Amino acid sequence: MNNCKYVILIMMSLYGLTSCGGSDCKIEYYHTNHFINCYRDWSSFKLSSYYNVIYIYFDYKSNYYYSEEIQILLNKNQSKDNLDTFNKLAEKNNDIGYNYKASYFPGDDFRTTLTKGVTDINITSDRDYDESHPAGTSLNDIFRIAAYSYAQFLNGSDQIATDPDDKTLGAMFKLCSRLEHDDLLLIGSNIRIEPTHTSNVKHNITVTLTDEEGEVHSATVETDFSAK
């Protein structure tokens, strides 16, 4: 499979693009003034590994804050406080300039980002990864991150999306060492990392995230890259 197809499949899995059959599977449309229609609260995260891929999972009991448009579309019983929280986050991120008809396919995820942005990611192992990466040193130049990054379309950016309903907007797949400051500030809540090359021993891989408030969060998972 060539790299282009590989990246597309990764991003489809992150966004939750699904397929189904039957009369219930039809596209619905709604009018929205927001590029992002859902925010997910978080204070911690966990890791899981499958083959060479490590998944980052945020709090399972997270609060979700929806736009009024989504609240109406899905008949969500959202409190006024939660709606106020969404509106404050939208204003903070300057997400108030859009005006378009958005599509929703039952089973898909809405464009969602975290309430607190991430300013830094660091990946380490408790064992030597290779000759250039002894235990405890950063593996950011080895691991790639796959996620959706939306800051480029907000915060007064001049890159306003010409088709804001495009589900592939913000797709990011790059080395962690090449991330720029804004790449993680408005990031989707589905994140995965994987190495460009593996190490034939078991590792305890630790991922450390620093949020925009300066708080540091870490999680560790045992990964056997030699297991195929």
Side-chain angles (χ1 to χ4, degrees):
M1 180 179 294
N2 62 39
N3 289 337
C4 181
K5 291 181 179 178
Y6 181 60
V7 172
I8 290 173
L9 288 175
I10 288 176
M11 304 322 295
M12 286 177 67
S13 68
L14 286 175
Y15 204 86
L17 299 178
T18 60
S19 61
C20 62
S23 59
D24 291 337
C25 291
K26 60 181 181 180
I27 297 177
E28 299 182 47
Y29 295 93
Y30 62 98
H31 182 84
T32 181
N33 296 314
H34 303 287
F35 186 77
I36 296 169
N37 275 289
C38 178
Y39 287 90
R40 182 177 182 176
D41 203 4
W42 72 285
S43 59
S44 63
F45 68 94
K46 295 181 179 180
L47 304 175
S48 69
S49 65
Y50 183 72
Y51 289 97
N52 296 334
V53 180
I54 295 175
Y55 298 87
I56 298 177
Y57 293 100
F58 294 92
D59 313 346
Y60 284 103
K61 297 183 179 179
S62 301
N63 279 331
Y64 287 82
Y65 307 103
Y66 298 95
S67 66
E68 186 175 13
E69 300 94 299
I70 299 302
Q71 181 177 327
I72 294 172
L73 175 68
L74 298 183
N75 294 315
K76 287 189 172 293
N77 186 23
Q78 178 175 235
S79 69
K80 182 179 182 302
D81 285 345
N82 280 8
L83 179 58
D84 288 344
T85 297
F86 173 88
N87 288 331
K88 289 177 181 176
L89 288 166
E91 183 178 5
K92 168 193 169 187
N93 295 320
N94 199 29
D95 187 9
I96 53 178
Y98 283 94
N99 186 342
Y100 65 102
K101 185 170 73 171
S103 60
Y104 169 66
F105 193 83
D108 285 356
D109 291 333
F110 293 102
R111 188 175 284 137
T112 301
T113 190
L114 302 173
T115 53
K116 292 188 295 184
V118 176
T119 58
D120 185 65
I121 182 172
N122 191 43
I123 303 164
T124 57
S125 171
D126 65 333
R127 302 188 66 173
D128 295 350
Y129 198 88
D130 56 28
E131 292 183 357
S132 302
H133 299 83
T137 58
S138 178
L139 303 177
N140 280 17
D141 59 338
I142 291 178
F143 276 81
R144 295 174 293 194
I145 183 171
Y148 280 85
S149 175
Y150 301 127
Q152 59 189 305
F153 305 110
L154 301 173
N155 286 324
S157 169
D158 58 2
Q159 300 184 52
I160 298 298
T162 55
D163 180 13
D165 193 40
D166 182 353
K167 301 298 188 292
T168 65
L169 288 174
M172 176 177 67
F173 189 60
K174 63 187 342 183
L175 280 172
C176 291
S177 60
R178 296 182 180 176
L179 289 170
E180 299 179 7
H181 179 265
D182 287 353
D183 285 341
L184 303 178
L185 279 181
L186 286 172
I187 193 171
S189 58
N190 296 318
I191 305 171
R192 57 188 282 180
I193 59 173
E194 61 180 87
T196 56
H197 64 275
T198 57
S199 176
N200 293 323
V201 294
K202 288 184 179 180
H203 293 265
N204 286 312
I205 297 293
T206 297
V207 175
T208 301
L209 301 178
T210 303
D211 67 36
E212 61 184 334
E213 297 176 353
E215 295 185 26
V216 178
H217 314 262
S218 294
T220 301
V221 66
E222 184 181 72
T223 305
D224 186 357
F225 292 123
S226 63
K228 301 288 185 181

